[in-house]
Amino acid sequence: MKIGIAGGGAFGTALGVALAMDGNPITLWARNADAVRQMTETRTNPKLPDVTLPDRMAFTAETTDLFTNDILLLAIPSQTVRDFLTTHRDHLGGKQLVACCKGIDLERMTGPASTINALVPDAIAAVLTGPSFAADIARGLPTALTLACADDAMGAILQTALSTTALRLYRSTDTIGAELGGALKNVMAIASGVAIGAGLGDSARAALITRGFPEMQRLAQELGAAPETLAGLSGFGDLVLTCTSKQSRNYRYGLALGAGEAFDKGTTVEGAATARAVRQLAKEMDIDLPICTVVADLIEDKTDVASALNALLSRPLREE
């Protein structure tokens, strides 16, 4: 099956490198024609320094080249998925659409697989998520991810097509759990960065990770996810990685927030939008999600770090 990738960022490019190095011809579409020209001529992407793009990767700024493929990996920001699907839905019917982004649609409060199902119902929707950094994947370092697809037979086909020597995929039918785990851990990564950036220490970060995980489970289960999914790669595994490494954009954003420093506005921070969506969901569904709520308030300058810490520490004492 032919594989195309929508998105010329670090993660989409890294997936293309891994799949091409394993012998698959890959077509990567990027919106920016100059970026496409640079990748074609230099076989490099500035977002992945020191990585040579394989000859089996072709680059295009024309969507018509992308739609000739059977499997499309959507490695675009989660908040742009709806627009992409709406614009191109006439070309996406019958395709296998694999969302490789992590976030919640602020308009409909749904994850990317749910958005695919709503807008392109005759396509196969899947989610590829889990503990991974683009640089590690592009360098061929061992990485394990979750491939979630409600159609298990098609999930098995995708699992085989997208697995490589170093990229190991574990299959699930719980798309809701997989997409929520990948989205919610970004909020906890921001909280962890805030703790370290504000000088609260590793013990405070450990407490946030530990108490944040039940929040993720609580909301995910309310929305129909299986609890065991959140305990796997797409939930707990990704949570640990992104809350402890400066390779995580969300963690770095939290560091800047906690330290009161500016952050590059050109860097995509999926957890910021997700935090706002989760705060709204918590209110509508009457679910107690204190860490997610505090993160959303911090992002919008509705509170400061000292007040946020005080709000969390002044909660009633209870059993674990």
Side-chain angles (χ1 to χ4, degrees):
M1 301 178 79
K2 296 170 62 180
I3 302 171
I5 300 174
F11 196 70
T13 305
L15 287 173
V17 170
L19 291 164
M21 291 297 289
D22 220 54
N24 300 285
I26 300 296
T27 301
L28 186 145
W29 169 83
R31 192 182 306 273
N32 188 314
D34 290 334
V36 168
R37 189 178 307 110
Q38 179 180 14
M39 287 187 284
T40 301
E41 293 176 355
T42 69
R43 312 307 297 181
T44 62
N45 184 331
K47 296 180 180 179
L48 283 175
D50 303 321
V51 173
T52 300
L53 305 179
D55 292 338
R56 283 182 172 269
M57 287 185 73
F59 306 96
T60 183
E62 301 296 330
T63 53
T64 50
D65 297 328
L66 182 66
F67 300 144
T68 61
N69 297 281
D70 307 297
I71 300 173
L72 297 183
L73 306 185
L74 305 183
I76 55 180
S78 61
Q79 299 306 319
T80 67
V81 168
R82 177 171 293 277
D83 286 344
F84 181 87
L85 296 175
T86 300
T87 301
H88 303 295
R89 75 173 89 197
D90 291 344
H91 303 281
L92 299 175
K95 305 259 183 217
Q96 290 81 54
L97 303 181
V98 184
C100 304
C101 47
K102 302 172 181 179
I104 296 176
D105 185 325
L106 287 173
E107 182 181 338
R108 301 296 177 87
M109 301 298 176
T110 57
S114 303
T115 302
I116 292 169
N117 286 328
L119 294 177
V120 195
D122 54 341
I124 298 294
V127 178
L128 184 63
T129 184
S132 56
F133 289 133
D136 292 347
I137 292 174
R139 291 167 56 200
L141 299 179
T143 304
L145 300 176
T146 296
L147 187 285
C149 182
D151 183 333
D152 192 46
M154 183 55 68
I157 293 173
L158 289 170
Q159 180 184 33
T160 300
L162 300 177
S163 293
T164 72
T165 305
L167 191 61
R168 182 177 178 84
L169 306 188
Y170 289 82
R171 196 168 75 252
S172 170
T173 57
D174 183 9
T175 56
I176 294 176
E179 64 188 5
L180 285 174
L184 296 174
K185 59 87 187 177
N186 283 333
V187 181
M188 301 308 165
I190 293 174
S192 295
V194 169
I196 298 301
L200 302 182
D202 289 332
S203 296
R205 173 171 56 181
L208 281 169
I209 294 171
T210 305
R211 297 313 309 159
F213 184 54
E215 284 195 28
M216 293 170 56
Q217 290 180 307
R218 196 150 57 239
L219 178 60
Q221 286 181 247
E222 285 287 338
L223 294 173
E228 57 268 23
T229 303
L230 274 292
L233 290 164
S234 60
F236 182 73
D238 214 356
L239 176 69
V240 171
L241 182 69
T242 53
C243 288
T244 58
S245 174
K246 289 184 179 179
Q247 288 192 69
S248 164
R249 296 187 302 269
N250 292 278
Y251 179 69
R252 294 200 309 273
Y253 174 69
L255 283 173
L257 201 60
E261 299 173 351
F263 189 76
D264 180 10
K265 293 182 178 180
T267 300
T268 300
V269 181
E270 298 282 22
T274 300
R276 293 194 291 271
V278 169
R279 182 182 56 191
Q280 181 63 29
L281 283 172
K283 182 178 180 180
E284 293 174 356
M285 302 174 71
D286 193 24
I287 307 172
D288 188 27
L289 303 174
I291 298 175
C292 291
T293 300
V294 161
V295 169
D297 288 347
L298 277 171
I299 290 167
E300 295 180 345
D301 292 325
K302 292 181 177 179
T303 189
D304 54 37
V305 174
S307 300
L309 177 64
N310 182 63
L312 292 174
L313 293 181
S314 62
R315 289 171 56 81
L317 298 175
R318 54 189 287 274
E319 290 184 345
E320 186 171 26

